């Protein structure tokens, strides 16, 4: 049955425009599109009705971490029931992590490895494997989930240093062409940052990058950062600079490592960019994709209709999640050495 939009108010215009170019949304109805799955529509309805203990990622860090860690623990149990993988704690390059190994490894892939950098606004997600488990199972490759240091205790460049330390250690036992790095949200940002830093250190670059819903430019805000919250259309929209305040600290926002869009992107590894039309990082993802294309990089962009920020890391039951993860897995594996 087709879902009908609520009638528009006849009291005045839907939007008004200020002289400086700002748009003020007054009375604009945005119905759920019929292009998404029924489960996705239900997910959006449910999220709209739930409270947000993090207050748009502005609550005290102890409250944010408690809420996030509890949700991640439930999700991890669900994923480990869905996928045949094993998980062990490891230390690589002096940095802790968790190695997720598929029980049915892909043939002929000895030495190939995927590196996952988890999301969480650089302050949440300790020991998270939510992004590693489904990709390990789909690719048949081991995935190293890096437990990089978190803000605000450890601001930039601590997470970059940890990631590069892991990558440098991995290069001692395998070729760069056998490594791909991917992440969502803060993990996407960190993946791009680590590649720029690796190039500065004259390290060979990985075979591919998964840049899933991130930004490569903290110095300039994108349009969707003012439109959407973590759940999409939301009562509270928190600026990205506020979300990442503990990580950014007093860093120079146009630093080419912190904001890779300001770096020389020539020769950047093939990159898959992914986002959703209700994702606050849609602008950031698209802007980085365009910059990569301008540098003649093999860059691809996939955008999911009506999906909020990183839906593929939170809702394993959605058809849109299955599609997203399948696309991610194919891209990461096709660029590794055969």
């Amino acid at each position: 049955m087709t879902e009908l939009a609520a009638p528009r108010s006849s009291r005045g215009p839907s939007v008004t425009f200020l002289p400086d170019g700002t748009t003020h949304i007054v009375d604009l109805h945005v119905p759920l599109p019929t292009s998404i799955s029924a489960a996705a529509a239900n997910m959006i309805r449910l999220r709209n009705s739930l409270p947000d203990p993090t207050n748009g990622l502005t609550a005290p860090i102890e409250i944010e971490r408690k809420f996030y860690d509890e949700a991640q623990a439930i999700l991890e149990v669900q994923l480990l029931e869905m996928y045949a993988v094993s998980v062990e704690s490891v230390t690589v390059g002096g940095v802790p992590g968790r190695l997720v190994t598929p029980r049915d490894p892909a043939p002929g892939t000895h030495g190939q490895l995927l590196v996952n950098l988890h999301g969480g606004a650089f302050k949440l997600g300790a020991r998270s494997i939510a992004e590693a488990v489904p990709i390990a199972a789909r690719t048949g490759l081991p995935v190293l989930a890096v437990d990089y240091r978190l803000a605000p205790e450890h601001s930039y460049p601590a997470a970059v240093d940890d990631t590069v330390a892991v990558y440098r250690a991995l290069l001692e036992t395998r070729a760069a062409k056998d490594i791909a790095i991917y992440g969502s949200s803060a993990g996407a940002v960190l993946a791009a940052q680590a590649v720029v830093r690796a190039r500065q250190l004259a390290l060979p670059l990985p075979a591919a990058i998964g840049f899933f819903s991130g930004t490569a430019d903290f110095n300039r805000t994108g349009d969707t950062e003012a439109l959407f919250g973590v759940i999409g259309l939301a009562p509270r929209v928190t600026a990205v600079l506020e979300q990442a305040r503990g990580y950014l600290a007093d860093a120079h926002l146009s630093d080419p490592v912190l904001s890779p869009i300001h770096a020389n992107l020539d020769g950047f590894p093939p990159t898959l960019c992914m986002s959703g039309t209700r994702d606050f990082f849609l602008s950031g993802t698209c802007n980085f994709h365009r910059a990569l294309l301008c540098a003649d990089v093999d860059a691809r962009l996939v955008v999911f209709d009506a999906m909020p920020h990183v839906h593929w890391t939170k809702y394993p039951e959605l058809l849109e999640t299955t599609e997203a993860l399948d696309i991610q897995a194919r891209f990461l594996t096709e660029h590794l050495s055969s």
Side-chain angles (χ1 to χ4, degrees):
M1 180 177 178
T2 302
E3 186 169 319
L4 299 179
R8 287 187 179 274
S9 169
S10 59
R11 291 174 296 179
S14 296
V15 299
T16 58
F17 305 104
L18 303 183
D20 68 353
T22 299
T23 300
H24 178 52
I25 298 175
V26 181
D27 185 17
L28 186 65
H29 294 276
V30 184
L32 285 176
T34 57
S35 60
I36 62 177
S37 69
N42 287 334
M43 175 271 292
I44 293 173
R45 292 189 193 96
L46 177 61
R47 287 195 70 165
N48 290 345
S49 68
L50 294 176
D52 176 18
T54 74
N55 196 29
L57 291 178
T58 63
I61 189 65
E62 298 81 10
I63 294 176
E64 291 184 355
R65 286 178 176 168
K66 181 177 185 296
F67 174 75
Y68 193 92
D69 291 347
E70 289 175 352
Q72 287 290 298
I74 294 172
L75 178 60
E76 182 174 322
V77 170
Q78 184 179 5
L79 292 173
L80 292 177
E81 290 176 349
M82 293 175 61
Y83 296 106
V85 301
S86 61
V87 182
E88 62 176 312
S89 297
V90 296
T91 300
V92 180
V95 180
R98 301 176 79 184
L99 183 64
V100 181
T101 305
R103 294 178 191 167
D104 186 17
T109 57
H110 179 71
Q112 294 184 349
L113 179 72
L114 302 177
V115 176
N116 171 241
L117 306 171
H118 66 78
F122 293 102
K123 57 184 176 179
L124 310 172
R127 292 179 56 79
S128 175
I129 55 172
E131 300 170 43
V133 170
I135 294 298
R138 278 173 165 77
T139 61
L141 296 173
V143 177
L144 174 61
V146 180
D147 195 17
Y148 56 86
R149 286 173 291 173
L150 298 177
E153 296 88 348
H154 306 282
S155 59
Y156 171 83
V160 179
D161 291 343
D162 287 352
T163 303
V164 172
V166 169
Y167 182 62
R168 191 194 291 271
L170 293 175
L171 290 174
E172 295 176 0
T173 58
R174 53 180 49 81
K177 64 183 180 180
D178 290 327
I179 303 171
I181 302 175
Y182 73 98
S184 297
S185 194
V189 179
L190 184 53
Q193 291 175 337
V195 169
V196 173
R197 182 60 182 142
R199 168 179 270 177
Q200 289 180 344
L201 296 171
L203 298 174
L205 301 185
I209 297 295
F211 186 87
F212 306 145
S213 183
T215 183
D217 192 355
F218 285 109
N219 194 47
R220 297 172 295 187
T221 59
D223 193 46
T224 56
E225 294 174 25
L227 288 172
F228 305 114
V230 175
I231 67 169
L233 292 163
R236 182 184 178 101
V237 175
T238 304
V240 167
L241 293 183
E242 176 65 17
Q243 293 183 36
R245 180 176 56 180
Y247 177 67
L248 300 173
D250 57 355
H252 195 285
L253 298 184
S254 61
D255 173 350
V257 176
L258 182 68
S259 295
I261 207 166
H262 297 287
N264 177 8
L265 299 176
D266 292 344
F268 207 84
T271 303
L272 173 64
C273 301
M274 184 174 287
S275 188
T277 63
R278 297 189 181 187
D279 185 348
F280 67 85
F281 267 158
L282 173 60
S283 289
T285 302
C286 292
N287 290 341
F288 188 46
H289 173 251
R290 195 171 75 251
L292 291 171
L293 291 181
C294 289
D296 201 25
V297 174
D298 176 7
R300 309 177 197 179
L301 174 64
V302 177
V303 179
F304 284 83
D305 194 16
M307 290 299 99
H309 187 56
V310 295
H311 70 275
W312 52 85
T313 71
K314 301 170 183 174
Y315 309 105
E317 71 281 1
L318 298 185
L319 293 176
E320 288 83 355
T321 292
T322 297
E323 184 178 347
L325 293 173
D326 286 347
I327 292 170
Q328 293 174 11
R330 283 197 303 269
F331 179 86
L332 293 170
T333 54
E334 74 182 21
H335 286 90
L336 295 174
S337 62
S338 59

